[in-house]
Amino acid sequence: MAAKTKASAGGKATYETAEELQKKIDKYFADGEKRGDVPSESGLALYLGVTLNTLRRWHDGERRVELQDVVEEAYARMTDVYMQLLLTGNKNMTPFVIFMLKQPRFAGYQDKVEAKQDISVDVKMGKNVEASDFA
């Protein structure tokens, strides 16, 4: 049986196992879906009782590496919700969704960058070739 969530000295929640964190994340998504809420990074952090910085560190594997896969999956779930909103949702949500999908922890999409390239070629002709041969 997984240990219960404990509060640290600063009053923030801590999770002893990845399974314990997974249950809390699953509840966040289930509760939000019942209310019709769009999940968010800050909403998840608040629900888990951790700072946004802590959540991001878990995601990036900078802290509590054993929680990284669980948190990455939560971000993937949020990304999926954003993609569904983009495809089927309210048009008023489109700017928000596009912005979120550009964030590195979500899809990391980028606007198309076009680079103009000018290429010049300098041809050196051999002994028996003259420029007039190409005219």
Side-chain angles (χ1 to χ4, degrees):
M1 178 183 269
K4 296 199 183 236
T5 303
K6 297 179 182 177
S8 66
K12 298 293 180 187
T14 58
Y15 299 90
E16 293 186 18
T17 66
E19 293 79 18
E20 183 181 353
L21 179 61
Q22 183 68 61
K23 286 180 185 176
K24 187 76 172 185
I25 289 172
D26 289 343
K27 188 162 176 22
Y28 168 75
F29 281 99
D31 290 350
E33 190 173 333
K34 285 179 193 171
R35 291 189 305 268
D37 293 346
V38 175
S40 69
E41 184 180 32
S42 57
L44 178 60
L46 286 169
Y47 194 86
L48 296 176
V50 299
T51 66
L52 193 53
N53 190 40
T54 296
L55 184 64
R56 289 174 176 170
R57 286 177 154 183
W58 289 348
H59 176 277
D60 297 341
E62 295 173 7
R63 175 191 259 177
R64 301 288 311 269
V65 178
E66 71 277 11
L67 303 179
Q68 184 176 17
D69 287 345
V70 172
V71 175
E72 283 182 352
E73 181 188 341
Y75 277 81
R77 289 170 74 175
M78 284 187 273
T79 300
D80 183 57
V81 170
Y82 300 153
M83 292 297 289
Q84 294 306 314
L85 283 171
L86 188 60
L87 297 172
T88 62
N90 182 338
K91 297 293 183 202
N92 294 330
M93 294 291 290
T94 300
F96 164 77
V97 170
I98 291 171
F99 175 79
M100 293 309 296
L101 292 174
K102 289 181 180 180
Q103 303 310 304
R105 287 181 183 84
F106 294 96
Y109 293 135
Q110 296 179 355
D111 290 324
K112 183 178 178 183
V113 177
E114 292 186 31
K116 184 178 179 181
Q117 296 180 359
D118 291 324
I119 300 173
S120 63
V121 178
D122 185 23
V123 178
K124 300 207 185 247
M125 295 180 240
K127 292 187 229 180
N128 298 326
V129 180
E130 295 178 10
S132 63
D133 292 340
F134 298 99

